[in-house]
Amino acid sequence: MAVTTKPVTEVGTGWQRSYSSRLLTTDFLVILVSVFGAQLIRFGTSAQELQISESKHWQFALSYTLVSLILVFTWMAALAVFDTRELRVVGTGPTEYKLIAETALRVFGLLAIVGLLFQFQMARGYLLIAFPAGLVLLLVSRWLWRQWLIRKRKSGEFLHRAVLVGEYEKVDHVATQIGRDSGSGFQLVSAITTAANSKHLDIAGIPTSSNYDAIVETLDNTRADTLILTSADVLGPKKMRRLGWELEQRKIDLVVAPALTDIAGPRIHTRPVAGLPLIHIEYPEFTGRKYWVKRVFDIILASILIVLLSPVLLVVALLVKSDGGPVIFKQERVGQNHEPFKMFKFRSMVVDAELKLAALLDQTDGNGILFKMKNDPRITPVGRVLRRFSIDELPQLFNVLNGTMSLVGPRPPLPSEVENYDDLAGRRLLVKPGITGLWQVSGRSDLSWDDSIRLDLYYVENWSLMGDIIILYRTFRAVFASDGAY
């Protein structure tokens, strides 16, 4: 593979620059409004000064207007230094939000250190307004831009044109996963893979060949801006090195998709050894400090929700009681480490619903293991409304308080389901089941059994507090959309 020496036109950079410029403008306006808004709220229109030194020999003061300007440009510079607008982090995943929060903490941490060194103290009210207002508005603005970007991508705009290269099974897997997510940001334009499965080379409806010597030509012909490499074994170190030079010259991104299915980024670490970029994978942890943090988070948030929703709980209880049956339906489920527990729900079916189940088993709309019916005749009129918006699940907040469930986790299974579990599905029981989880925000009852297990196992092995917060947010969206709820 010879290295091209002629100039090559860059591809796919126009929309990236445009989107980055929009983020830059919005960030600046948000920080400007937050900082000067804090100054206006704290001091009004009167001129105020920050005393840097009150020494008899050296006195120096700055107007708060100048202090606000310095803070605005310092914050903007920090957002640039810590790559919060890099295209590799914006548009998908929690990294963008995490970087923005960490940058804000660094800026105000630096402000505190400078104040300590020069022995001056800013007005606390000014900082207590500017810091949270700026952080919240930055996060909201980035979220709004992300929703706009996702809509554009779903309509075929603002996409990375990508070529897939690697062994057939890996290429097919990556193409399938990308095809499932219309907001992923990748448009697959071609694939180069092994010829062993030549009769099945039509991968995800994209043009496919087995000519590894034509990788660069394919990139040029398709005007791709990204090469997704699923395996480099067929190329070898020398060809891979030369390919890297070609990509560098064309400003084409190289993305490696290793065969590490369902392993999240925090468990993956690159360790350079003898010039080799070895990947170190941490084993998942199911006990320890972070699970104590999860428990504290569960107790605090569940308590707040119970207090806030107490009027709703009371009204729903009266409506459910109106047909003469019990308000709360208690059902045995299997929890962490196979421990059985009673799960609480508002009763949404007739009193003898369990006795009528056997006659309905052949009419299931479930996924092969779970029994679900979109028009279950056992559901009461009140229960149908409760189920549509998942209100029947609210009593499970008390399960969270008593420690049998978590706010976020795998779906709590029935004992009859657990009897059919294999070793793979059994790993779901290594953590507490949740009121909500990846299974609920990714399709709920519409998911296949294999997809349900895959999502639950991904959560079990890659849990994080930020991930829980994101799932809770997505749950509210899924509930109001009532997708897959029946």
Side-chain angles (χ1 to χ4, degrees), residues 1-6 216 241-243 245-246 249-250:
M1 183 183 297
V3 180
T4 305
T5 56
K6 64 179 181 180
V216 174
R241 186 186 300 115
R242 289 184 175 276
L243 176 60
W245 295 340
E246 295 278 6
Q249 186 180 19
R250 287 165 169 77

Side-chain angles (χ1 to χ4, degrees), residues 329-331 333 341-345 396 399 405 412:
F329 173 66
K330 299 178 183 179
Q331 188 176 46
R333 298 290 179 115
F341 71 97
K342 293 292 184 181
M343 187 182 75
F344 308 138
K345 298 178 69 173
Q396 291 168 33
N399 282 115
M405 291 182 66

Side-chain angles (χ1 to χ4, degrees), residues 367-379:
N367 53 29
I369 300 294
L370 309 180
F371 175 81
K372 291 283 185 179
M373 283 189 69
K374 292 183 178 179
N375 297 298
D376 195 323
R378 301 173 299 163
I379 299 176

